[in-house]
Amino acid sequence: MVKKITINLKAVESMLFIWASLKDKEKIADEFFIDLAATPEMEAAYDEEFTPNGFRKVLSALVNRELMSDATAREKRFWNNNMWMTEDLGVTQMMLEPLKQMNLDNRLSELPDSVPYGEVEVIFYPGTTELSSIQGNKLYINFFKIQVDIMGMEEEPKIDGKLIPDFVLSELAKMS
């Protein structure tokens, strides 16, 4: 039975620095990208088509204002996702604010007793094409899959058509 849900935004907060730097045309050392790529928060992003080196390569290309001609499909998607974030940091903030404020403690009873963990961690990270994945007691959610209404018609952002807290709880229920 889950007694605690922790929201981890470390990777996204590091990316905020990167996106702001890209927008301001500032240089960032590859070592920063390498260190971020190696964090536990980024584990779910990688496979044979998108590796930690691909992560570094894409961000380095963005800093150097280069296109990705020899990239894999997932590297190109990551390049596009990051360019999108730098176009309007206001949209990025619209995506991030609900995550910073999210507290699911009052909804723990909605999770099935069959979830085998007392504590679970929800990690938002910058991914490519994947929506989410579960690894042990960790739920990884691709930050780029958050949908906001830039016209202001819908007040709350969603993931896969669901309000973010509802999406998180439905994914956590799959841990059982």
Side-chain angles (χ1 to χ4, degrees), residues 109-157:
S109 63
E110 296 177 38
L111 290 172
D113 290 339
S114 57
V115 175
Y117 306 105
E119 292 186 21
V120 295
E121 185 176 16
V122 180
I123 301 168
F124 287 89
Y125 69 98
T128 59
T129 57
E130 69 284 359
L131 178 61
S132 66
S133 68
I134 295 170
Q135 296 179 16
N137 71 332
K138 294 175 176 32
L139 169 62
Y140 291 86
I141 299 174
N142 184 350
F143 178 75
F144 294 130
K145 296 299 182 176
I146 296 174
Q147 306 152 333
V148 294
D149 180 5
I150 58 172
M151 302 307 246
M153 303 298 282
E154 291 187 33
E155 293 180 20
E156 295 188 52

Side-chain angles (χ1 to χ4, degrees), residues 161-173:
K162 298 177 185 173
L163 295 175
I164 294 172
D166 296 336
F167 176 81
V168 170
L169 289 171
S170 70
E171 294 298 295
L172 288 174

Side-chain angles (χ1 to χ4, degrees), residues 5-123:
I5 300 172
T6 303
I7 308 297
N8 182 332
L9 300 174
K10 291 176 187 172
V12 173
E13 288 172 348
S14 293
M15 292 303 296
L16 284 175
F17 166 76
I18 292 169
W19 297 324
S21 297
L22 289 171
K23 186 155 183 81
D24 293 340
K25 297 181 169 88
E26 295 176 8
K27 293 288 184 183
I28 304 170
D30 269 7
E31 290 76 23
F32 184 84
F33 303 142
I34 292 166
D35 289 346
L36 178 56
T39 63
E41 288 79 14
M42 290 302 303
E43 286 177 6
Y46 306 129
D47 63 12
E48 62 280 343
E49 193 179 345
F50 187 69
T51 64
N53 188 53
F55 176 91
R56 181 214 49 84
K57 181 172 75 171
V58 169
L59 293 177
S60 183
L62 288 167
V63 165
N64 294 316
R65 313 271 181 268
E66 299 169 352
L67 296 176
M68 300 285 302
S69 59
D70 65 336
T72 67
R74 290 192 61 208
E75 288 170 345
K76 288 177 183 177
R77 175 63 67 93
F78 190 64
W79 190 93
N80 285 332
N81 287 344
N82 281 280
M83 285 300 293
W84 169 51
M85 289 293 105
T86 63
E87 288 175 11
D88 187 350
L89 293 176
V91 171
T92 307
Q93 286 302 322
M94 289 172 64
M95 295 167 68
L96 185 60
E97 277 309 308
L99 305 181
K100 288 182 173 181
Q101 299 171 8
M102 187 165 46
N103 182 343
L104 298 172
D105 291 345
N106 61 340
R107 296 186 63 183
L108 289 171
S109 63
E110 296 177 38
L111 290 172
D113 290 339
S114 57
V115 175
Y117 306 105
E119 292 186 21
V120 295
E121 185 176 16
V122 180
I123 301 168

